[in-house]
C-alpha cells in the first residue's frame, strides 16, 4: 500500500512538474502584451473615413450545438465600393472542423457539428476579390481555412497583423503561424498601440488586445454609420462579455494560457463600448449573437 502511495505521489509530482514547465513560459509571454487601448474618439475616427466599406457580412464554416447555446466558426466579409473584399478569420475545412468538434463532444457533451463549407467554397467566385485578410488570433479554428483559401485564391491577398500576432507564438499558435508562413498570403505588420489604420481599406482599423493569446486583435469596421467591433475569443459568448464572466481556471490556466487580468479589463472595455449607441461588439463563436447582430449573411452577389 505504501509503495502504491509512493508511486502515485511520484506520478502526481511528475505531472505537476511537466505542467509547470509547459505552462509557465506561455503565461509569462501573454502577460507581457499590454498595449494601450484607444480612446472612444480614436475609434470613432474610423466612422469619418471616406469611402469606407459598403457592406459587412458573415458566414459560418461550421456550427455546433452545445449544452447551452451554439458555437459558430464565423468569417466576416467587408466589401468596398470597387468590389474589393477584406475577410476576418477563415474558419476550417471539413476535416479540421470534424477534429475540433470531436474534442468538444468529448469534453463538453457538445452535439455533432454541422459543416457548412470552407471559406473558399462559400465565397465561390468572389474569393478572387479578397485582397486583405485579418485574423482575430492564431488558434487553428480561425486560421486553418487559409489552406483551401489559398488553393482557390492563389497569390494577391495580404495578411495584416499586429507585431504581437506576427512575432509572439506559443504552443497553441505555432501550428497556425507555420500554416500562414507557407500560405499564399503576403504579410504586412502594423506596429503600435491604439487604432492601427489598415491602408487601402478605409474605415478599417486593428487594435492589439492580448489577453486570450499574445496576438489577439480587435478588428473595428465602420459601416452604415456604425462601428462593428469583432472581438474574436476574448469571450466565447456575448453573455459572458456583458456579465464580465471569465472562462474559469481549467480553460484560462491549463487549456489556453490566458492573461486573466487583461482579459477582464478587455471584457469591461468592450462591454462599455457595446453599450454606446453607435458601436456593436460581435463575438465570433456565439451564433445567437452573430445572428442577432444586425449584420446580413454573406451570399455571393
Ligand atoms: Zn476560437
Amino acid at each position: 500500500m505504501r509503495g502504491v502511495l509512493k508511486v502515485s505521489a511520484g506520478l502526481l509530482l511528475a505531472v505537476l512538474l511537466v505542467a509547470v514547465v509547459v505552462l509557465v513560459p506561455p503565461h509569462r509571454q501573454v502577460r507581457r502584451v499590454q498595449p494601450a487601448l484607444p480612446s472612444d474618439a480614436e475609434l470613432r475616427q474610423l466612422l469619418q473615413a471616406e469611402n469606407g466599406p459598403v457592406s459587412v457580412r458573415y458566414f459560418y464554416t461550421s456550427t455546433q450545438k452545445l449544452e447551452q447555446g451554439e458555437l459558430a466558426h464565423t468569417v466576416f466579409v467587408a466589401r468596398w465600393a470597387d468590389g474589393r473584399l477584406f475577410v476576418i478569420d477563415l474558419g476550417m475545412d471539413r476535416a479540421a472542423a470534424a477534429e475540433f468538434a470531436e474534442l468538444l463532444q468529448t469534453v463538453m457533451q457538445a452535439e455533432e457539428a454541422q459543416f457548412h463549407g470552407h471559406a473558399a467554397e462559400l465565397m465561390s467566385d468572389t474569393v478572387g476579390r479578397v485582397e486583405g485578410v485579418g485574423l482575430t488570433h492564431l488558434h487553428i479554428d480561425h486560421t486553418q481555412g487559409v489552406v483551401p483559401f489559398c488553393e482557390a485564391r492563389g497569390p494577391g491577398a495580404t495578411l495584416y497583423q499586429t507585431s504581437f500576432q506576427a512575432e509572439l507564438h506559443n504552443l497553441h499558435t505555432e501550428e497556425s503561424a507555420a500554416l500562414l508562413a507557407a500560405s499564399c498570403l503576403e504579410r504586412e505588420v502594423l506596429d503600435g498601440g491604439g487604432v492601427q489604420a489598415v491602408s487601402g481599406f478605409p474605415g478599417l482599423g486593428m487594435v492589439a488586445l492580448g489577453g486570450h493569446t499574445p496576438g489577439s486583435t480587435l478588428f473595428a469596421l465602420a459601416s452604415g454609420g456604425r462601428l462593428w467591433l469583432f472581438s474574436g475569443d476574448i469571450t466565447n459568448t456575448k453573455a459572458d462579455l456583458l456579465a464580465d464572466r471569465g472562462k474559469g481556471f481549467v480553460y484560462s490556466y491549463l487549456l489556453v494560457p490566458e492573461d486573466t487580468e487583461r482579459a477582464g479589463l478587455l471584457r469591461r472595455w468592450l462591454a462599455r463600448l457595446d453599450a454606446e449607441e453607435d458601436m456593436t461588439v460581435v463575438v465570433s463563436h456565439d451564433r445567437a449573437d452573430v445572428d442577432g447582430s444586425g449584420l446580413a449573411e454573406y451570399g455571393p452577389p
Side-chain angles (χ1 to χ4, degrees):
M1 185 63 191
R2 197 177 287 173
V4 174
L5 278 179
K6 245 188 195 167
V7 170
S8 314
L11 253 176
L12 187 66
L13 202 66
V15 168
L16 278 175
L17 204 67
V18 169
V20 166
V21 168
V22 171
L23 293 172
V24 166
H27 274 284
R28 291 173 66 121
Q29 183 193 51
V30 74
R31 277 167 176 68
R32 289 205 306 269
V33 179
Q34 306 285 343
L37 296 173
S39 66
D40 296 11
E42 207 184 325
L43 277 169
R44 284 200 172 95
Q45 274 178 13
L46 293 168
L47 289 164
Q48 308 304 320
E50 276 175 45
N51 306 316
V54 291
S55 73
V56 184
R57 298 183 171 211
Y58 70 89
F59 60 82
Y60 302 125
T61 55
S62 56
T63 48
Q64 185 173 22
K65 288 212 171 87
L66 306 176
E67 269 188 309
Q68 270 187 351
E70 191 165 356
L71 178 117
H73 296 283
T74 315
V75 177
F76 299 98
V77 186
R79 185 167 67 86
W80 276 258
D82 58 5
R84 290 175 314 122
L85 303 175
F86 189 102
V87 297
I88 299 166
D89 286 345
L90 285 164
M92 294 173 278
D93 70 12
R94 180 183 290 275
E99 197 182 317
F100 190 92
E102 224 168 272
L103 183 74
L104 297 193
Q105 279 170 262
T106 312
V107 299
M108 291 177 67
Q109 282 93 47
E111 287 183 21
E112 226 169 273
Q114 245 192 301
F115 183 69
H116 304 279
H118 59 63
E121 262 166 1
L122 295 173
M123 296 187 76
S124 71
D125 289 350
T126 64
V127 76
R129 302 217 306 258
V130 176
E131 294 197 3
V133 175
L135 299 164
T136 59
H137 60 296
L138 299 193
H139 283 160
I140 204 74
D141 55 320
H142 300 254
T143 62
Q144 190 276 336
V146 73
V147 176
F149 172 85
C150 280
E151 279 167 20
R153 171 71 179 89
T158 300
L159 171 67
Y160 293 87
Q161 292 184 293
T162 68
S163 55
F164 298 112
Q165 190 180 91
E167 289 158 21
L168 298 183
H169 302 301
N170 65 28
L171 67 166
H172 295 307
T173 66
E174 270 160 5
E175 189 184 356
S176 296
L179 277 184
L180 292 167
S183 79
C184 64
L185 299 174
E186 284 169 50
R187 196 183 301 239
E188 197 169 318
V189 178
L190 306 179
D191 213 347
V195 179
Q196 297 163 60
V198 183
S199 67
F201 296 93
L204 172 63
M206 290 169 28
V207 179
L209 297 178
H212 176 56
T213 71
S216 284
T217 304
L218 177 85
F219 287 86
L221 256 169
S223 179
R226 176 163 291 279
L227 206 52
W228 301 92
L229 303 172
F230 300 101
S231 62
D233 292 9
I234 298 304
T235 62
N236 288 325
T237 68
K238 187 68 168 277
D240 288 344
L241 183 79
L242 298 181
D244 190 14
R245 207 162 32 225
K247 294 170 188 163
F249 178 82
V250 172
Y251 184 104
S252 299
Y253 284 88
L254 304 182
L255 297 179
V256 178
E258 292 193 314
D259 177 349
T260 50
E261 206 172 300
R262 176 83 181 173
L265 179 140
L266 293 169
R267 283 194 303 272
R268 294 184 285 280
W269 178 62
L270 291 165
R272 186 179 64 68
L273 295 177
D274 189 62
E276 295 288 317
E277 216 146 282
D278 53 354
M279 302 193 203
T280 301
V281 175
V282 187
V283 176
S284 295
H285 282 312
D286 187 340
R287 179 170 191 168
D289 181 49
V290 178
D291 279 346
S293 65
L295 295 175
E297 217 172 321
Y298 188 75

Coordinates of all heavy atoms in Angstrom, one line a residue, residues 34 37-38 40 43 209-211 218 229 231 233-235 237-247 259-276 279 281 283:
Q34 N 0.7 44.2 -23.3 CA -0.2 45.2 -22.6 C -0.3 46.5 -23.4 O -0.1 47.6 -22.9 CB 0.4 45.5 -21.2 CG 0.6 44.3 -20.3 CD -0.6 43.7 -19.7 OE1 -1.7 44.4 -19.7 NE2 -0.6 42.5 -19.2
L37 N -5.0 50.8 -25.0 CA -6.2 50.7 -25.8 C -6.6 52.1 -26.3 O -6.3 53.1 -25.6 CB -7.3 50.1 -24.9 CG -7.1 48.7 -24.4 CD1 -8.1 48.3 -23.4 CD2 -7.1 47.7 -25.6
P38 N -7.3 52.2 -27.4 CA -7.7 53.5 -27.9 C -8.8 54.2 -27.1 O -9.6 53.5 -26.5 CB -8.1 53.2 -29.4 CG -8.6 51.8 -29.3 CD -7.8 51.1 -28.3
D40 N -12.4 56.3 -27.1 CA -13.6 56.2 -27.9 C -13.5 57.1 -29.1 O -13.9 56.8 -30.2 CB -14.8 56.6 -27.1 CG -15.1 55.7 -25.9 OD1 -14.2 54.8 -25.7 OD2 -16.1 55.8 -25.3
L43 N -11.4 55.6 -31.8 CA -12.2 54.6 -32.5 C -13.1 55.2 -33.5 O -13.3 54.8 -34.6 CB -12.9 53.7 -31.5 CG -12.2 52.5 -30.9 CD1 -13.0 52.0 -29.7 CD2 -11.8 51.4 -31.9
L209 N -4.8 43.5 -28.7 CA -5.5 43.3 -27.4 C -4.7 42.4 -26.4 O -4.6 42.8 -25.3 CB -6.9 42.5 -27.7 CG -7.9 43.2 -28.5 CD1 -9.1 42.3 -28.7 CD2 -8.3 44.5 -27.9
G210 N -4.2 41.3 -26.9 CA -3.6 40.3 -25.9 C -4.7 39.7 -25.1 O -5.9 39.7 -25.5
G211 N -4.4 39.2 -23.9 CA -5.4 38.6 -23.0 C -5.7 37.2 -23.3 O -5.4 36.3 -22.5
L218 N -8.4 43.1 -32.1 CA -9.8 43.5 -32.4 C -9.8 44.2 -33.8 O -8.9 45.0 -34.1 CB -10.2 44.6 -31.4 CG -11.6 45.2 -31.6 CD1 -12.6 44.4 -30.9 CD2 -11.6 46.6 -31.0
L229 N -17.3 46.0 -33.9 CA -16.1 45.6 -33.2 C -16.0 44.1 -33.1 O -16.8 43.5 -32.4 CB -16.0 46.2 -31.9 CG -16.2 47.8 -31.9 CD1 -16.3 48.3 -30.4 CD2 -15.0 48.4 -32.5
S231 N -14.5 41.0 -31.8 CA -13.6 40.8 -30.6 C -13.0 39.4 -30.5 O -12.3 39.1 -29.6 CB -14.4 41.0 -29.3 OG -15.5 40.1 -29.2
D233 N -12.0 35.8 -29.6 CA -12.3 34.9 -28.5 C -12.0 35.6 -27.1 O -11.6 34.9 -26.2 CB -11.5 33.6 -28.6 CG -12.0 32.8 -29.8 OD1 -12.8 33.3 -30.6 OD2 -11.6 31.6 -29.9
I234 N -12.1 36.9 -27.0 CA -11.9 37.5 -25.7 C -12.9 36.9 -24.7 O -12.6 36.6 -23.6 CB -12.0 39.0 -25.8 CG1 -10.9 39.6 -26.7 CG2 -11.9 39.7 -24.4 CD1 -9.5 39.2 -26.3
T235 N -14.1 36.7 -25.2 CA -15.1 35.8 -24.5 C -15.6 34.9 -25.6 O -15.6 35.1 -26.8 CB -16.3 36.6 -23.9 OG1 -17.0 37.2 -25.0 CG2 -15.8 37.6 -22.9
T237 N -18.9 33.9 -25.4 CA -20.3 34.3 -25.7 C -20.5 35.8 -25.3 O -19.7 36.3 -24.6 CB -21.3 33.5 -24.8 OG1 -21.1 33.9 -23.4 CG2 -21.1 32.0 -24.9
K238 N -21.5 36.4 -25.9 CA -21.8 37.8 -25.6 C -22.3 37.9 -24.1 O -21.9 38.9 -23.5 CB -22.9 38.2 -26.6 CG -23.2 39.7 -26.5 CD -22.1 40.6 -27.0 CE -22.5 42.0 -27.2 NZ -23.1 42.3 -28.5
A239 N -23.0 36.9 -23.6 CA -23.4 36.9 -22.3 C -22.3 37.0 -21.3 O -22.3 37.8 -20.3 CB -24.3 35.7 -21.9
D240 N -21.2 36.3 -21.6 CA -20.0 36.3 -20.7 C -19.4 37.7 -20.8 O -18.9 38.2 -19.8 CB -19.0 35.3 -21.2 CG -19.4 33.9 -20.8 OD1 -20.3 33.7 -20.0 OD2 -18.8 32.9 -21.4
L241 N -19.4 38.3 -21.9 CA -18.9 39.7 -22.1 C -19.7 40.7 -21.2 O -19.1 41.4 -20.5 CB -18.9 40.1 -23.6 CG -18.3 41.5 -23.9 CD1 -16.8 41.3 -23.9 CD2 -18.8 42.0 -25.2
L242 N -21.0 40.6 -21.4 CA -21.8 41.6 -20.7 C -21.9 41.4 -19.2 O -22.1 42.3 -18.4 CB -23.2 41.6 -21.3 CG -23.3 42.0 -22.8 CD1 -24.7 42.0 -23.3 CD2 -22.6 43.3 -23.1
A243 N -21.7 40.1 -18.8 CA -21.7 39.8 -17.3 C -20.3 39.8 -16.7 O -20.2 39.5 -15.5 CB -22.4 38.4 -17.1
D244 N -19.3 40.2 -17.5 CA -17.9 40.2 -17.1 C -17.5 38.9 -16.4 O -17.0 38.8 -15.3 CB -17.8 41.4 -16.1 CG -16.3 41.6 -15.7 OD1 -15.4 41.1 -16.5 OD2 -16.0 42.3 -14.8
R245 N -17.8 37.8 -17.2 CA -17.6 36.5 -16.7 C -16.3 35.9 -17.4 O -16.3 35.8 -18.6 CB -18.8 35.6 -16.9 CG -19.0 34.5 -16.0 CD -20.4 33.9 -16.0 NE -21.1 34.0 -17.3 CZ -22.3 34.4 -17.5 NH1 -23.1 34.8 -16.5 NH2 -22.8 34.5 -18.7
G246 N -15.3 35.4 -16.6 CA -14.2 34.8 -17.2 C -14.5 33.4 -17.6 O -15.6 32.9 -17.5
K247 N -13.4 32.7 -18.2 CA -13.7 31.3 -18.7 C -13.4 30.2 -17.7 O -13.5 29.1 -18.0 CB -12.8 31.1 -19.9 CG -13.2 32.1 -21.1 CD -12.2 32.0 -22.2 CE -12.5 33.1 -23.3 NZ -11.3 33.3 -24.1
D259 N -4.0 35.7 -20.1 CA -3.8 36.7 -19.0 C -5.2 37.1 -18.5 O -5.9 37.9 -19.1 CB -3.0 37.9 -19.7 CG -2.8 39.0 -18.6 OD1 -3.4 39.0 -17.5 OD2 -2.0 39.9 -19.0
T260 N -5.6 36.5 -17.4 CA -7.0 36.7 -16.9 C -7.2 38.1 -16.5 O -8.4 38.6 -16.7 CB -7.3 35.7 -15.8 OG1 -6.3 35.8 -14.8 CG2 -7.3 34.3 -16.3
E261 N -6.2 38.8 -16.0 CA -6.4 40.2 -15.6 C -6.7 41.1 -16.8 O -7.6 41.9 -16.8 CB -5.2 40.7 -14.9 CG -5.4 41.8 -13.9 CD -4.2 42.1 -13.1 OE1 -3.7 41.1 -12.4 OE2 -3.7 43.2 -13.2
R262 N -5.8 40.9 -17.8 CA -6.0 41.6 -19.1 C -7.4 41.3 -19.7 O -8.1 42.1 -20.2 CB -4.9 41.3 -20.0 CG -4.9 41.9 -21.4 CD -4.4 43.3 -21.4 NE -4.5 43.9 -22.7 CZ -4.2 45.2 -23.0 NH1 -3.8 46.0 -22.0 NH2 -4.3 45.7 -24.2
A263 N -7.7 40.0 -19.7 CA -9.0 39.6 -20.3 C -10.2 40.3 -19.6 O -11.1 40.7 -20.3 CB -9.1 38.0 -20.2
G264 N -10.1 40.4 -18.3 CA -11.1 41.1 -17.5 C -11.2 42.6 -17.9 O -12.3 43.1 -18.2
L265 N -10.0 43.2 -18.1 CA -10.0 44.6 -18.5 C -10.6 44.8 -19.9 O -11.4 45.7 -20.1 CB -8.6 45.0 -18.5 CG -8.2 46.5 -18.9 CD1 -7.1 46.9 -17.9 CD2 -7.7 46.5 -20.3
L266 N -10.3 43.8 -20.8 CA -10.9 43.9 -22.1 C -12.4 43.6 -22.1 O -13.1 44.3 -22.9 CB -10.1 42.8 -23.0 CG -8.7 43.1 -23.3 CD1 -8.0 41.9 -23.9 CD2 -8.5 44.4 -24.1
R267 N -12.8 42.7 -21.3 CA -14.3 42.5 -21.2 C -15.0 43.7 -20.8 O -16.0 44.1 -21.4 CB -14.6 41.4 -20.2 CG -14.3 40.0 -20.6 CD -15.0 38.9 -19.7 NE -14.6 39.1 -18.3 CZ -13.6 38.5 -17.8 NH1 -12.8 37.7 -18.5 NH2 -13.3 38.6 -16.5
R268 N -14.5 44.4 -19.8 CA -15.2 45.6 -19.3 C -15.1 46.7 -20.3 O -16.1 47.5 -20.5 CB -14.6 46.0 -17.9 CG -14.9 44.9 -16.9 CD -14.5 45.3 -15.5 NE -13.1 45.2 -15.3 CZ -12.4 44.0 -15.0 NH1 -13.1 42.9 -15.0 NH2 -11.1 44.0 -14.9
W269 N -14.0 46.8 -21.0 CA -13.9 47.9 -22.0 C -14.8 47.6 -23.2 O -15.6 48.5 -23.6 CB -12.4 47.8 -22.5 CG -12.1 48.8 -23.6 CD1 -12.2 50.2 -23.5 CD2 -11.6 48.5 -24.9 NE1 -11.8 50.8 -24.7 CE2 -11.5 49.8 -25.6 CE3 -11.4 47.3 -25.6 CZ2 -11.0 49.8 -26.9 CZ3 -10.9 47.4 -26.9 CH2 -10.7 48.6 -27.6
L270 N -14.9 46.3 -23.6 CA -15.8 46.0 -24.8 C -17.2 46.1 -24.4 O -18.1 46.6 -25.2 CB -15.4 44.6 -25.3 CG -14.1 44.4 -26.0 CD1 -13.7 42.9 -26.1 CD2 -14.1 45.1 -27.3
A271 N -17.6 45.7 -23.2 CA -19.0 45.8 -22.7 C -19.4 47.3 -22.7 O -20.5 47.6 -23.1 CB -19.2 45.2 -21.4
R272 N -18.5 48.2 -22.3 CA -18.8 49.6 -22.2 C -19.0 50.1 -23.7 O -19.9 50.9 -23.9 CB -17.7 50.4 -21.5 CG -18.0 51.8 -21.3 CD -17.0 52.6 -20.6 NE -15.7 52.7 -21.3 CZ -15.5 53.3 -22.4 NH1 -16.5 54.0 -23.0 NH2 -14.3 53.4 -23.0
L273 N -18.1 49.7 -24.6 CA -18.3 50.2 -26.0 C -19.6 49.7 -26.6 O -20.2 50.4 -27.3 CB -17.1 49.7 -26.8 CG -15.7 50.3 -26.4 CD1 -14.6 49.7 -27.3 CD2 -15.7 51.8 -26.5
D274 N -19.9 48.4 -26.3 CA -21.1 47.8 -26.8 C -22.4 48.6 -26.4 O -23.4 48.6 -27.1 CB -21.2 46.3 -26.4 CG -22.3 45.6 -27.1 OD1 -22.3 45.5 -28.3 OD2 -23.3 45.1 -26.4
A275 N -22.3 49.2 -25.3 CA -23.4 50.0 -24.8 C -23.6 51.3 -25.5 O -24.6 52.0 -25.4 CB -23.3 50.2 -23.3
E276 N -22.5 51.7 -26.2 CA -22.6 53.0 -27.0 C -23.6 52.8 -28.1 O -23.7 51.8 -28.7 CB -21.2 53.4 -27.5 CG -20.2 53.7 -26.4 CD -20.4 55.0 -25.8 OE1 -20.7 56.0 -26.5 OE2 -20.3 55.1 -24.5
M279 N -22.0 51.7 -31.6 CA -21.0 50.6 -31.6 C -21.7 49.3 -31.3 O -22.5 49.2 -30.5 CB -19.8 50.8 -30.7 CG -19.1 52.1 -30.9 SD -17.5 52.1 -29.9 CE -17.3 53.9 -29.8
V281 N -20.4 45.2 -30.5 CA -19.3 44.2 -30.4 C -19.9 42.9 -30.9 O -21.1 42.5 -30.5 CB -18.9 44.0 -28.9 CG1 -17.9 42.9 -28.8 CG2 -18.2 45.4 -28.4
V283 N -19.3 38.8 -31.1 CA -18.5 37.7 -30.5 C -18.4 36.5 -31.5 O -19.4 35.9 -31.7 CB -19.0 37.3 -29.1 CG1 -18.3 36.1 -28.6 CG2 -19.0 38.5 -28.2

